[in-house]
Amino acid sequence: MLELRVNGGAFELDAPVGTSLADALRDRLGLTGTKIACNEGHCGACTVQLDGVPILSCITLVHSVGEREVTTIEGLRDHPLVEAFVRADALQCGFCTPGQIVSAAALVETDPEPDRDVIRHAMAGNLCRCGTYPRVEEAITTWRA
Amino acid sequence: MARLIKTEKEVEGRYTEQWVVVEEDVLDQWPAGARRVVGRPATRVDGLQRARGEARYTADVQLPGMLHTAVLRSPHGRARVKRLDVGRAMQAPGVRGVLTPRELAARDAADWPGEPSVGPHASEVLTCEPGYAGAPVAAVGAETFGQALAALSLVRVDWEILEPLLDGDQAVRRGSLLGEPRRYERGDLDRGLAEADLVVEAKYRTQVVLHNALETHQSVCRWEGDTLEVYTSTQWIWGVRREVAEALGIPADRVRVVCEYMGGGFGAKNDAGDHTFIAAELARRTGRPVRCALTRRDENRATGNRNATIQRLVAGARSDGTLTALGGEFVNAVGYDGFSPFTSGPMQLLYGCPNVRTVDYGAQLNTPPNAAFRAPGFVEGTFGLECLLDELAARLDVDPLELRRRNHADHDASDERPFSSKRLMECYRRAETHWARRAEVRARSEAPWRRGVGLASQVWYGGGGPPSYAWVRVGPDGRAAVITAMQDIGTGSRTAMAQIAAEELGLPLDRVDVALGDSARGPYASISAGSSTIPSMGPAVRSAAADAARQIVEIAAQRYDREERVLSLRDGHVVSTDGGSWPLEEIAGLLGDGQILGKGARGPNPAGMRVLTFGVQVAEVAVDVETGEVRVERLAAIHDVGRVINPLGARSQVEGGIIQALGHTLSEQRLLDPLTGDVLTQTLDAYKLPTIADVPEIVVEFVDQPDTHLTNLGAKGLGEPPIVPTAAAIANAIRNATGADVRSLPVSREEMLRALRETRGRAEEPVGASTA
């Protein structure tokens, strides 16, 4: 039995050794806002925060999380970035969007007014095939508006 | 009375005749310009659900007792299965079903005494003679995906490996073709070339590009009594419904297809796909819900691609730039299966040249089948044609923009039809301010970077067509629901439909809901491909809303003793010209639980006319002439797609198309193992998609004038036009910057350096001096 701290709550779950954090969140806790698009750490769709640091949950073993607090998109549903993404039309199909917002939330936590280069550096690991990048940049630039 | 007529329908450049029933009350188009809701920026009505991760995609469907599937795929481009032993796999932990090719049934009957509860012989989508690496051979359904994968590794296959055919030119030489070559000629090419003051010839190549929608192809199938439920990531709910019903031999109403949210398609999800049939068959055999989801690696092997092309082009012109001849031989390296796109289309349609001759070959190869990918054929054909035209302009010393104006097609010369509307000249006019930056941009060159500006024109379809239907329901609370079994693949069509209904019903946008994505809930809706969702579905939704609005006015007229002609719907009220005003909920509320039901259908396309979209893009680039690095610094896009329903979503479509085109132009390329034909670039680190750091400044403009001949909206589609001209605009900017002609996509550093070396070899054309 494993205890996982997620979005302010504590959950006990059974997971075989080797289970990824992404699978545990999605399949065991029903937190399907975390998406799996490549399942090998290349695209950023599965991004969650561990103690505020964005990580790729599809290549993180759930047993390695320990005491750290997991923050998923469900824990950020009222973050102003969510509104900012909708306002700026920073989503099309939306499959990458939760991961984008989780990454962006970690960014603005440390740098509330990131400039363009900082945004591009911090967000380059979150792929979007629809090409919403200009809108993502605008959303992060205007998130407190 | 309903009238039965024939109309022409087009999807991705392929035309069919279609019977359509036209209702009598044809609505007049709204006047041009922004209205209360339509034509004004609207954030997505489902934006919060998607952004918060609450939207349920196929990938998120988790049904009780659901099995997971792993698919064994051929590692060889061409091979035969001599022996397939699934015995150990069937005994592996968690395994509930194994599927093998139908051909094995006869051959191996003796190996399977009796009929196992979950038999090994199955679907026709599995094959013993794979014609491409990645072709599905066997499938395992198990309690977990891990167990299915583990069992798959226990399947023993003895292969007879055959030599694969991988080269398009070679396939044409050997006559390995999918269908007959398509030949087209108007006028006389040879005469046109003889009349020319200058003839230019060149060969262009474009690469294979992979769709890589972030949600991979996947379906979950569950039998509910005699009905099969198919949750699937699709661009065409009704197409999947028909395909599955036909494959299973059951009535179409016993197949329910659901796709409420969809993680991107770009043309690769127009069909049901092997995964759907595998899941359906395993579900039938096991009595359990079954998910069949492709891994990213399999996605890049087996779900379609933009095929490579080889283009041998010739153009002739008089010294003033008037085209006298255009000729092209286009080889589409289609793959083992798929379709031969209309790569010659831009050459036939874009210019008013009197003498045009083209031939398209569809080469059958031992490579994964192609699939439509955002303006298939036209992206590739525009690259070749528009690059050749700039070479012509340079050699004639005619301004490239002026050259294009001079050859403007004022009708479709391929069959002498008028355009329903064409405002390409207005696009060119608006491009002037961007084009005028050339001198300033070039002056910013500093070694080793050289800067330049290029442009390219766009032509593509986007008229949509019938049939498509919608219902609108107005309840006693004064809210409206649009109901139709269409899909929103991420383009924002759900929002556009809400805007159209809100406009017609005089309701604020937040009082309209859209119920889509379920074949059991709404009427037939057309495919989301070929830039057709808005022009096909939008008019049906408006027509349904107008039907409901008419009924509301009739009810109000009787209840409040007014003539219908003095009543209209505005801001959630029925208002009278005499100043009377009644909230909609008061009128609808009269009916208690009653509902006002409107229905609408898409009318015909304008008879005898060609419906096309147009545009122009202007690219600014910087080229490091020492390393061959190309950076796109600015892209301006001006498109004519008729009326724009949602300027906010429309801008996003254009930006997204351009960013996909950036990948196509500079970084993306599927690579094959030359021995086996298997895909080497299966992962998203090997296959280079653009990231946020690659994006230039993008400027988007629309002409935004309704096509007065097209439907009750005058709106064309926009999904594909923006990806069409970008590669050529960038290549032409590279030519403007360096004088070098890149002729092969992607413009890798090798290709850029090759082009620069070739230019240096041409002593008469010093670097940077070819275009003013």
Side-chain angles (χ1 to χ4, degrees):
Chain A
M1 199 60 90
L2 174 75
E3 194 177 283
L4 208 56
R5 296 172 53 203
V6 184
N7 300 332
F11 300 87
E12 287 199 340
L13 62 149
D14 239 344
V17 170
T19 302
S20 73
L21 176 58
D23 279 341
L25 291 169
R26 288 173 52 81
D27 299 346
R28 306 304 167 89
L29 303 184
L31 298 173
T32 55
T34 300
K35 302 301 179 198
I36 297 176
C38 75
N39 213 21
E40 49 189 328
H42 295 149
C43 76
C46 67
T47 305
V48 301
Q49 296 173 6
L50 286 188
D51 286 344
V53 178
I55 58 108
L56 299 166
S57 65
C58 78
I59 53 166
T60 300
L61 295 172
V62 67
H63 290 90
S64 71
V65 172
E67 297 285 295
R68 288 177 287 179
E69 171 76 15
V70 182
T71 305
T72 70
I73 186 64
E74 287 87 353
L76 296 168
R77 68 189 304 281
D78 296 322
H79 195 289
L81 269 166
V82 170
E83 275 286 349
F85 266 63
V86 175
R87 205 166 52 233
D89 208 35
L91 60 139
Q92 291 187 33
C93 84
F95 208 74
C96 73
T97 311
Q100 302 269 5
I101 291 175
V102 172
S103 288
L107 169 63
V108 300
E109 191 64 32
T110 56
D111 182 354
E113 290 183 5
D115 67 21
R116 185 166 178 264
D117 286 343
V118 170
I119 293 171
R120 287 175 164 232
H121 182 77
M123 300 300 295
N126 287 86
L127 297 178
C128 170
R129 188 48 158 165
C130 300
T132 59
Y133 299 130
R135 306 294 112 226
V136 169
E137 201 175 298
E138 181 182 310
I140 298 174
T141 308
T142 62
W143 72 283
R144 290 200 287 195
Chain B
M1 192 192 92
R3 200 157 51 86
L4 183 67
I5 63 165
K6 256 193 175 173
T7 188
E8 203 170 48
K9 178 173 175 134
E10 169 276 324
V11 176
E12 313 272 29
R14 283 166 284 179
Y15 285 89
T16 50
E17 289 243 296
Q18 177 79 49
W19 286 105
V20 57
V21 173
V22 194
E23 306 288 341
E24 271 187 283
D25 56 340
V26 176
L27 299 166
D28 289 332
Q29 283 185 9
W30 295 309
R35 304 189 54 79
R36 275 191 296 268
V37 185
V38 163
R40 295 193 190 279
T43 57
R44 285 168 203 252
V45 295
D46 54 7
L48 277 179
Q49 285 95 309
R50 291 189 196 250
R52 286 173 167 164
E54 295 165 354
R56 189 170 69 163
Y57 296 78
T58 305
D60 304 322
V61 172
Q62 299 189 16
L63 301 177
M66 184 172 76
L67 301 177
H68 299 261
T69 311
V71 178
L72 178 73
R73 295 177 184 277
S74 171
H76 308 292
R78 188 166 157 244
R80 283 196 198 98
V81 175
K82 289 195 291 188
R83 188 169 152 273
L84 182 65
D85 179 358
V86 297
R88 287 178 65 208
M90 289 184 72
Q91 305 305 319
V95 170
R96 298 291 175 259
V98 177
L99 303 182
T100 60
R102 195 179 288 275
E103 305 92 286
L104 287 182
R107 212 205 294 174
D108 296 352
D111 293 349
W112 298 101
E115 181 70 13
S117 59
V118 179
H121 301 307
S123 139
E124 288 176 8
V125 305
L126 304 173
T127 180
C128 280
E129 296 198 12
Y132 64 96
V137 173
V140 175
E143 299 287 347
T144 69
F145 182 62
Q147 287 174 331
L149 270 182
L152 207 64
S153 69
L154 300 174
V155 175
R156 290 280 168 268
V157 190
D158 291 344
W159 296 102
E160 179 188 353
I161 300 168
L162 305 167
E163 191 189 342
L165 175 58
L166 304 176
D167 178 76
D169 267 344
Q170 202 180 14
V172 172
R173 278 197 299 277
R174 287 195 202 169
S176 175
L177 299 177
L178 284 159
E180 290 297 307
R182 280 195 309 269
R183 298 179 191 282
Y184 167 83
E185 180 155 18
R186 69 171 180 256
D188 180 338
L189 178 71
D190 298 323
R191 194 182 64 218
L193 290 171
E195 287 169 2
D197 295 319
L198 177 72
V199 171
V200 290
E201 282 182 85
K203 179 171 151 185
Y204 297 91
R205 285 179 174 271
T206 63
Q207 80 282 37
V208 173
V209 176
L210 301 168
H211 299 72
N212 268 314
L214 279 203
E215 184 182 36
T216 60
H217 285 65
Q218 49 195 294
S219 296
V220 175
C221 291
R222 169 167 71 179
W223 285 92
E224 283 283 303
D226 60 1
T227 298
L228 179 66
E229 294 178 353
V230 181
Y231 299 83
T232 187
S233 183
T234 184
Q235 295 177 232
W236 197 17
I237 284 170
W238 287 85
V240 173
R241 190 181 104 118
R242 184 178 59 212
E243 268 190 81
V244 170
E246 284 174 2
L248 270 52
I250 58 176
D253 273 334
R254 301 245 172 90
V255 179
R256 176 185 170 202
V257 180
V258 181
C259 178
E260 292 214 34
Y261 293 94
M262 197 269 203
F266 314 116
K269 294 177 181 167
N270 292 345
D271 304 310
D274 297 344
H275 55 285
T276 302
F277 297 114
I278 290 170
E281 181 64 16
L282 278 170
R284 190 182 67 76
R285 286 165 181 241
T286 61
R288 302 267 294 267
V290 176
R291 166 185 297 286
C292 185
L294 272 73
T295 62
R296 176 60 49 188
R297 291 178 184 228
D298 284 349
E299 182 80 5
N300 280 333
R301 299 169 81 197
T303 63
N305 53 70
R306 184 190 293 287
N307 60 266
T309 69
I310 305 163
Q311 308 173 30
R312 294 175 181 83
L313 309 185
V314 60
R318 298 191 194 283
S319 53
D320 67 353
T322 307
L323 289 168
T324 59
L326 288 172
E329 180 190 282
F330 301 87
V331 176
N332 290 309
V334 172
Y336 190 62
D337 198 0
F339 74 108
S340 182
F342 190 19
T343 311
S344 60
M347 181 168 274
Q348 294 179 25
L349 290 169
L350 195 45
Y351 296 111
C353 178
N355 305 300
V356 179
R357 184 161 74 205
T358 63
V359 56
D360 295 80
Y361 297 97
Q364 187 182 29
L365 302 166
N366 294 115
T367 60
N370 74 346
F373 190 157
R374 214 166 183 169
F378 277 53
V379 166
E380 302 84 337
T382 299
F383 170 67
L385 174 68
E386 287 291 84
C387 287
L388 189 68
L389 250 68
D390 259 38
E391 198 170 330
L392 192 74
R395 306 254 307 260
L396 290 170
D397 199 23
V398 174
D399 177 273
L401 179 55
E402 180 53 29
L403 182 96
R404 286 168 173 83
R405 282 185 167 131
R406 202 161 289 172
N407 292 290
H408 180 265
D410 54 12
H411 69 289
D412 179 355
S414 70
D415 61 1
E416 300 299 321
R417 287 189 195 204
F419 296 120
S420 59
S421 69
K422 178 175 182 179
R423 295 191 174 84
L424 182 58
M425 281 298 206
E426 173 63 11
C427 295
Y428 287 151
R429 191 187 67 74
R430 296 195 192 188
E432 279 170 7
T433 54
H434 309 291
W435 189 234
R437 293 162 55 95
R438 269 174 308 160
E440 180 265 324
V441 169
R442 285 169 59 91
R444 278 193 282 113
S445 297
E446 49 183 333
W449 292 93
R450 303 193 70 96
R451 289 186 161 76
V453 180
L455 63 78
S457 305
Q458 171 257 317
V459 65
W460 174 249
Y461 304 92
S468 283
Y469 306 96
W471 300 327
V472 165
R473 184 185 72 206
V474 179
D477 56 357
R479 293 182 63 85
V482 176
I483 305 161
T484 178
M486 59 182 275
Q487 52 285 317
D488 182 341
I489 67 171
T491 55
S493 48
R494 193 186 250 115
T495 307
M497 298 308 139
Q499 287 180 273
I500 291 164
E503 183 70 45
E504 188 65 32
L505 290 164
L507 280 174
L509 190 55
D510 62 7
R511 279 172 63 179
V512 178
D513 296 310
V514 180
L516 51 73
D518 186 344
S519 69
R521 190 161 62 190
Y524 175 89
S526 56
I527 190 170
S528 289
S531 300
S532 70
T533 310
I534 292 232
S536 292
M537 296 307 306
V541 168
R542 184 178 172 214
S543 154
D547 186 20
R550 178 183 54 77
Q551 297 176 50
I552 292 165
V553 165
E554 286 170 0
I555 293 166
Q558 293 168 61
R559 176 68 182 79
Y560 303 113
D561 253 346
R562 299 291 197 288
E563 285 185 67
E564 286 168 23
R565 61 178 179 80
V566 304
L567 299 177
S568 57
L569 276 63
R570 193 179 310 153
D571 300 328
H573 290 69
V574 173
V575 295
S576 168
T577 49
D578 62 18
S581 175
W582 305 274
L584 182 57
E585 54 269 37
E586 185 181 314
I587 297 159
L590 292 172
L591 309 177
D593 285 336
Q595 298 179 332
I596 296 161
L597 302 174
K599 71 180 175 66
R602 166 64 151 85
N605 279 333
M609 290 185 160
R610 182 67 69 222
V611 184
L612 298 173
T613 56
F614 302 94
V616 60
Q617 290 182 8
V618 184
E620 299 179 9
V621 304
V623 181
D624 182 331
V625 294
E626 289 174 4
T627 65
E629 182 181 350
V630 177
R631 288 186 193 161
V632 177
E633 298 188 324
R634 186 174 188 271
L635 259 158
I638 303 112
H639 290 278
D640 166 27
V641 293
R643 181 195 300 280
V644 173
I645 305 294
N646 181 2
L648 183 66
R651 179 182 62 179
S652 295
Q653 278 291 296
V654 174
E655 289 173 346
I658 286 173
I659 290 165
Q660 274 187 354
L662 276 177
H664 180 225
T665 310
L666 297 177
S667 63
E668 294 180 34
Q669 180 167 29
R670 184 200 69 183
L671 297 174
L672 293 182
D673 181 330
L675 289 180
T676 64
D678 204 357
V679 176
L680 295 171
T681 48
Q682 294 181 12
T683 64
L684 292 179
D685 66 338
Y687 187 82
K688 302 294 185 194
L689 299 180
T691 76
I692 194 170
D694 298 310
V695 175
E697 179 190 359
I698 301 175
V699 180
V700 179
E701 294 181 35
F702 297 103
V703 175
D704 194 10
Q705 287 290 318
D707 179 331
T708 54
H709 293 106
L710 182 66
T711 74
N712 58 33
L713 286 180
K716 302 176 188 177
L718 177 60
E720 288 153 307
I723 200 176
V724 170
T726 316
I730 291 170
N732 289 337
I734 290 171
R735 156 176 259 284
N736 183 242
T738 65
D741 287 301
V742 293
R743 300 191 196 277
S744 183
L745 295 180
V747 185
S748 60
R749 293 190 184 201
E750 296 93 311
E751 169 61 11
M752 189 64 245
L753 291 172
R754 182 207 62 74
L756 286 164
R757 274 196 306 275
E758 184 187 86
T759 308
R760 280 194 287 271
R762 293 199 303 248
E764 72 280 9
E765 272 190 6
V767 169
S770 65
T771 50

